[in-house]
Amino acid sequence: MESKNEESASLTHEKLASIEDEEVLNKMLDSAADFEERRMIRAALRDLLKKKREKREKERGVRRQDLNKGGTGGAVSIGRASMNQQPSTNKSPGQPSSSTPMSRRAGRTGPAAVSTQKCFSAEPPNAKNVKQMLLDWCRAKTEPYEGVDIQNFSSSWKDGIAFCALVHRFFPDAFEYSTLNPYKPRDNFELAFSTAERLAGCPPLLDADDLVRMKEPDWKCVYTYIQEFYRCLVEKGLVKTKQRP
């Protein structure tokens, strides 16, 4: 009997090592009842994320080299300067700048401060550069995470996984990302927002129930929340404004 168990464990290891789809591993994790099996699946998920992160970092390095050869450095530096201006102006004790989110100027009246009213982003003249840089920053920070493909500030965030991935990137010990279920968006929203509030000091401007009721999140609401999260990270020193987001 003992040798049979050892053979079964060996086959399980081999099977896990051959799986390159995080969704498959997540489903296996959900259905696994044995503690040892769950431990092995989690380890396989971590190894898979690490492998894909290393691969994508290499691809990013190649893309950066191609961009430098193509002479696009000037365009990048303009976007970087635009993005860098935002956190510093928010710190000003005087009147709020045009880049300050509307919800922050109006005060934090509750968890659904943004979602219970029409969301407006007070955007500066170079808003398109800032918006694109923030989107690129979100994409770069969540790139190692399977199941996340950020293309916009609306549909890409509808299952809550992107929010969790972005928060997990800066607070990896806060929760176990590999156990998240994309079919439970409310749980994912609540986890991301509560963790960001607790560890980053980011106010819960979005409401999970409101987001679940929407077919797709309002991009202005998501954009405003990500702006606030970025600003909080800057204040905590987790993001350096002199570097590209």
Side-chain angles (χ1 to χ4, degrees), residues 118-130:
K118 188 173 181 181
C119 298
F120 294 97
S121 308
E123 298 178 345
N126 59 351
K128 289 185 178 180
N129 287 340
V130 176

Side-chain angles (χ1 to χ4, degrees), residues 89-90 95-102 105 121-126 227:
T89 55
N90 285 345
Q95 294 183 351
S97 68
S98 59
S99 62
T100 306
M102 288 292 290
R105 276 189 253 166
S121 308
E123 298 178 345
N126 59 351
Q227 280 183 311

Side-chain angles (χ1 to χ4, degrees), residues 38 103 122 132 150 200 213 239 244:
R38 292 179 67 84
S103 60
Q132 186 59 49
I150 296 177
R213 283 193 292 267
V239 171
R244 182 181 177 179

Side-chain angles (χ1 to χ4, degrees), residues 69-130:
K69 290 178 181 178
T72 57
V76 173
S77 63
I78 292 174
R80 182 183 305 160
S82 301
M83 194 67 200
N84 292 343
Q85 291 170 1
Q86 182 181 344
S88 61
T89 55
N90 285 345
K91 293 181 180 180
S92 174
Q95 294 183 351
S97 68
S98 59
S99 62
T100 306
M102 288 292 290
S103 60
R104 184 165 178 78
R105 276 189 253 166
R108 301 169 184 171
T109 57
V114 171
S115 56
T116 56
Q117 57 184 313
K118 188 173 181 181
C119 298
F120 294 97
S121 308
E123 298 178 345
N126 59 351
K128 289 185 178 180
N129 287 340
V130 176

Side-chain angles (χ1 to χ4, degrees), residues 3 11 13 50 61 104 126-127 133 149 172 176 184 216:
S3 60
L11 290 175
H13 270 298
K50 181 180 178 181
R104 184 165 178 78
N126 59 351
M133 283 300 300
D149 183 21
E176 192 166 357
K184 294 182 178 180
E216 292 182 353

